[in-house]
Amino acid sequence: MKLIGFCVFMYLLDSSGDFRGKNPRFGGGAHTWDVLATWDGWWYQQIAAHGYHPALVPVPGATGLITLEGNSAAFFPLYPALMRLVSSCTGLGLLGAGLVVSVAASFVAALAVHAVTARISGRRAGLAAAGLWAVWPGSGMEWSGYSESLYIALAAWACYAVMRRNWLTAGLLTCAAGLTRPTATALIAALTLAALAELLRLRRAPRRPGSLPRPDASGRRDAVLRPLAAVAIAPVGLAGYLGWVGYRMGDYSGYFKLQDGAWAHTFDYGRHTFKVFASLMVGHYDYLYACPFEDVIAAGTVLLALIVLPLLFRLRPPLVLTVYTLLTIALVLGSQQIFGNVSRYLLPAFPLLIPCATAMRRLSTPVLCTVLAIAALASGSYAGYVLFEAGVP
């Protein structure tokens, strides 16, 4: 399904030809595939090639929204590190290496989405969820020079590990996710609450006559220490990177100042999101970073997510999925950023697909494949072309 949407995206790019007249850094290039590694992808290539040089550099004379020069420190290190590793091992250029990492990670992520969904609603629902993930409105980033696929692969498998009570695995995967994207904050919190709930369950476990004997002291100690170890390991990646950037900048809030001053990305408790919806409802585009076509799709994605959310709760998913989904949505909608990218930023909220996939498992295989194929054809436009060419990904 993903291949269908990707081919449509490439066809639309080539047929319009608009990218040929654009700056290679901002959505342009000599070939259609060059577009896949522009915008944020350009920054990742710079990191892979030259490393980091964290700094807060004021724009001379700037007094408006953007007061700092962009710096690669705003982008987390695991994805560009893998780009460089693959490039060194295969001889591919950084663009090709980045696409290899993203495509491979997308399959790993799809397997994780399947595994999580199958554990709740069965294997057929798992297959439907993996197909839906491939055509989600933000899915154009899955096969591009962006870190979304890598992050979702790590986050989804971390959630699955928590569901299986493989605590150390979950902690290590969450640590790696924290080296990939700052939204790993939601995953860290979800793992922490799930671990605390597990410790509470162990403490309250009844000791009824005739029940199986409790584990010995060593086994009980392991049952307690493993969730605690996961909680300790989980934030190391995120906190370590933010701490390192702050140290190099001489300001431990430097990362957040950079995001605010160079990209106007900041947590504003939803004021920007409210203004966008208030403006869109009356046909106005007088808000920050307005991109009409892209923003309408993003607004539809938000409404879809809010509609699906209570259906997810009805399935009573594990605590880790509930907390992870709620916090991911809260971080996205509570931030001032390019609103058109909300469909991309909500891509990690994969548990939203579970209720839809659960309903779709009743469809026959031919009907299910037809529905997903039609959605894949459409996704080449709304999830690919619109993000990269009609907006700013």
Side-chain angles (χ1 to χ4, degrees):
M1 296 303 163
K2 183 61 195 171
L3 182 60
I4 294 173
F6 182 77
C7 289
V8 171
F9 174 28
M10 290 291 99
Y11 172 77
L12 293 174
L13 275 178
D14 185 64
S15 61
S16 72
D18 294 342
F19 70 93
R20 296 185 179 92
K22 294 183 177 181
N23 188 316
R25 181 175 168 183
F26 303 113
H31 308 93
T32 52
W33 55 83
D34 292 330
V35 176
L36 300 173
T38 56
W39 301 100
D40 289 3
W42 180 87
W43 284 104
Y44 283 123
Q45 289 183 76
Q46 296 304 302
I47 296 167
H50 309 296
Y52 286 103
H53 304 282
L56 296 172
V57 180
V59 176
T63 57
L65 196 63
I66 304 300
T67 58
L68 297 174
E69 294 182 3
N71 188 280
S72 59
F75 300 88
F76 278 52
L78 185 57
Y79 179 67
L82 291 176
M83 286 175 63
R84 184 161 184 167
L85 177 63
V86 171
S87 178
S88 299
C89 292
T90 63
L92 290 171
L94 291 175
L95 188 157
L99 293 181
V100 167
V101 172
S102 293
V103 171
S106 73
F107 284 104
V108 176
L111 287 172
V113 171
H114 172 273
V116 170
T117 306
R119 193 165 176 85
I120 296 173
S121 300
R123 292 181 58 191
R124 191 170 181 81
L127 290 172
L132 289 172
W133 186 75
V135 299
W136 178 261
S139 61
M141 319 311 298
E142 293 169 6
W143 286 9
S144 69
Y146 279 60
S147 62
E148 265 72 11
S149 289
L150 178 60
Y151 172 73
I152 296 163
L154 294 167
W157 280 117
C159 289
Y160 183 75
V162 170
M163 293 166 66
R164 295 288 303 272
R165 295 192 175 92
N166 295 328
W167 293 104
L168 294 181
T169 300
L172 291 171
L173 289 170
T174 303
C175 178
L179 289 169
T180 310
R181 296 194 66 81
T183 45
T185 305
L187 182 62
I188 294 167
L191 181 146
T192 300
L193 288 177
L196 293 176
E198 173 69 5
L199 294 175
L200 187 61
R201 184 189 68 82
L202 289 171
R203 183 177 180 181
R204 292 180 174 179
R207 192 172 186 178
R208 294 183 297 270
S211 62
L212 294 174
R214 285 187 174 183
D216 57 23
S218 176
R220 186 168 181 80
R221 184 170 61 250
D222 283 348
V224 171
L225 290 179
R226 288 176 182 272
L228 291 176
V231 171
I233 294 169
V236 170
L238 178 64
Y241 179 69
L242 294 179
W244 177 78
V245 168
Y247 173 77
R248 289 287 302 272
M249 289 181 173
D251 184 340
Y252 282 100
S253 62
Y255 174 84
F256 303 101
K257 290 182 178 179
L258 179 64
Q259 285 281 15
D260 186 11
W263 278 274
H265 289 182
T266 185
F267 192 79
D268 69 347
Y269 300 94
R271 287 191 295 272
H272 177 62
T273 300
F274 178 80
K275 182 176 182 179
V276 171
F277 270 95
S279 298
L280 285 177
M281 288 187 342
V282 294
H284 293 172
Y285 302 98
D286 54 353
Y287 50 86
L288 185 64
Y289 297 133
C291 295
F293 196 177
E294 187 183 27
D295 294 343
V296 169
I297 293 175
T301 305
V302 171
L303 294 176
L304 175 62
L306 296 178
I307 290 170
V308 170
L309 197 57
L311 301 179
L312 174 64
F313 295 157
R314 187 183 179 192
L315 295 175
R316 296 184 178 180
L319 179 64
V320 65
L321 295 183
T322 301
V323 175
Y324 171 71
T325 305
L326 285 174
L327 290 183
T328 298
I329 293 173
L331 287 173
V332 172
L333 300 186
S335 298
Q336 174 185 281
Q337 53 202 350
I338 300 174
F339 182 77
N341 284 347
V342 162
S343 60
R344 164 197 164 197
Y345 296 143
L346 285 176
L347 190 59
F350 69 91
L352 292 172
L353 302 173
I354 296 176
C356 302
T358 300
M360 292 174 69
R361 68 184 175 179
R362 300 184 181 89
L363 301 176
S364 65
T365 299
V367 173
L368 178 61
C369 291
T370 300
V371 170
L372 292 176
I374 293 172
L377 287 171
S379 76
S381 173
Y382 66 70
Y385 187 81
V386 170
L387 278 179
F388 277 92
E389 288 292 289
V392 179

